[in-house]
Amino acid sequence: MFDELPTEAWNAAAADLDLRDTTELVALMTTEDASVPAAVERASAAIVEAIDAIADRLARGGRLIYVGAGTSGRLALVDAVECESTFAVPPGLVIALVAGGATSGATAQEHAEDDSDAGASEIAAVQVGPLDAVVGLSASGRTPYVSGALDVARSAGALTIALVAVPESELGRLADHEVAVVVGPEVIAGSTRLKAGTAQKLVLNMISTISMVRLGKTYGNLMVDVVATNDKLRARVHRIVAQATGAEPDQVDAALAASGGDAKVAIVSLLAGIDAEEARQRLDGVGGVVRKALEQ
């Protein structure tokens, strides 16, 4: 069965890989990687449907739960973690379940991908429910750990999505939506951390970013919910408020001081000509969406 998967296919263009010099290898991998965005684009309709469905669940109070093994799980974990710092989502709103545990070594994680019972029990342990969106990631489209999780999630009424690298996959048949980004054979046969992994990263970027845009976590293309936990991020917040309002540096400083460093409150305060407390009340009344607060 594995021999028939596109992700395991032999790439004739790389047959003499070990005989080539570094310049040739860089050129070969660059050419192969350049095909990934086109594969993502071919799946764009499915990606749009999945994101709209995810954003709807999140807007109603649900969570985004990634489930993956090996490279897929580790990529999902990165995306989940980044949502907290980039968009100030509360811990637990975007989570990743990784086969074998997020802190275990790569070998243990790879071994754990065959345990469907673990996937089932771990998704049940986070009390998956009808408001949640569960994205199962698997290049091969058949990882048992992920299938176990998706099966339980579907039974619980959650939205289920399969992000895979093969068409008409086993996981796709379990899910409400299948996003199949078919990138073809890897430079090193079966090494799906390469093109398949790159494709998953691109789609994960879209899923989390666009979902957060739909939730009002940006103002224009500014990440107004960023958490300023270091000097670099505090400078970024200052720059964001200045770009959003056109205010002078001293005005930005004063607005941020009054808002306790909250970029959204500072922006609404400056643009609406109101104090920080009223700006905060407006934002609270519209779910934190800056544009809606400015319309009041």
Side-chain angles (χ1 to χ4, degrees):
M1 179 179 291
F2 281 106
D3 291 342
E4 299 173 359
L5 291 172
T7 53
E8 297 295 321
W10 179 67
N11 190 335
D16 59 348
L17 195 72
D18 56 333
L19 299 177
R20 301 192 188 193
D21 64 27
T22 303
T23 299
E24 292 174 316
L25 292 173
V26 168
L28 172 63
M29 291 192 69
T30 299
T31 299
E32 292 287 329
D33 288 343
S35 69
V36 174
V40 173
E41 185 176 10
R42 289 193 293 272
S44 59
I47 295 169
V48 169
E49 289 183 3
I51 292 173
D52 282 344
I54 291 168
D56 175 68
R57 298 293 174 112
L58 292 175
R60 289 189 280 140
R63 298 169 295 171
L64 174 56
I65 304 171
Y66 295 131
V67 183
T71 297
S72 297
R74 292 185 285 273
L75 288 170
L77 180 62
V78 169
D79 197 75
V81 170
E82 290 292 340
C83 283
E84 290 189 26
S85 58
T86 304
F87 301 110
V89 301
L93 182 67
V94 183
I95 63 177
L97 302 180
V98 182
T103 59
S104 66
T107 301
Q109 290 178 358
E110 299 288 353
H111 175 74
E113 73 176 48
D114 289 337
D115 192 344
S116 61
D117 289 341
S121 63
E122 287 171 25
I123 196 74
V126 299
Q127 298 180 317
V128 65
L131 291 180
D132 296 325
V134 179
V135 180
L137 298 94
S138 166
S140 69
R142 60 171 309 282
T143 305
Y145 174 84
V146 179
S147 66
L150 285 185
D151 193 41
V152 170
R154 184 180 61 176
S155 296
L159 173 73
T160 53
I161 292 148
L163 175 52
V164 298
V166 297
E168 300 179 357
S169 66
E170 291 182 24
L171 291 178
R173 289 189 286 274
L174 282 175
D176 298 310
H177 298 268
E178 180 184 53
V179 177
V181 185
V182 183
V183 295
E186 302 285 5
V187 168
I188 295 178
S191 183
T192 53
R193 72 182 184 87
L194 300 176
K195 291 189 297 183
T198 299
Q200 287 184 335
K201 180 66 171 75
L202 293 176
V203 177
L204 287 169
N205 286 348
M206 294 179 187
I207 288 173
S208 57
T209 301
I210 298 172
S211 294
M212 294 303 155
V213 171
R214 291 285 167 265
L215 293 177
K217 293 290 187 178
T218 62
Y219 178 60
N221 68 341
L222 300 174
M223 57 170 97
V224 290
D225 256 333
V226 65
V227 179
T229 54
N230 58 34
D231 289 342
K232 178 188 74 173
L233 293 177
R234 280 187 282 274
R236 180 178 295 168
V237 167
H238 191 283
R239 187 166 58 251
I240 285 169
V241 174
Q243 290 171 331
T245 63
E248 296 298 321
D250 58 337
Q251 295 174 305
V252 173
D253 288 338
L256 283 171
S259 69
D262 188 314
K264 282 185 172 181
V265 172
I267 289 168
V268 173
S269 174
L270 287 167
L271 290 179
I274 57 180
D275 63 28
E277 182 58 30
E278 184 177 348
R280 193 180 303 279
Q281 289 175 0
R282 283 197 190 185
L283 284 162
D284 289 344
V286 293
V289 180
V290 171
R291 288 198 188 277
K292 290 182 179 179
L294 291 171
E295 291 170 358
Q296 292 185 336

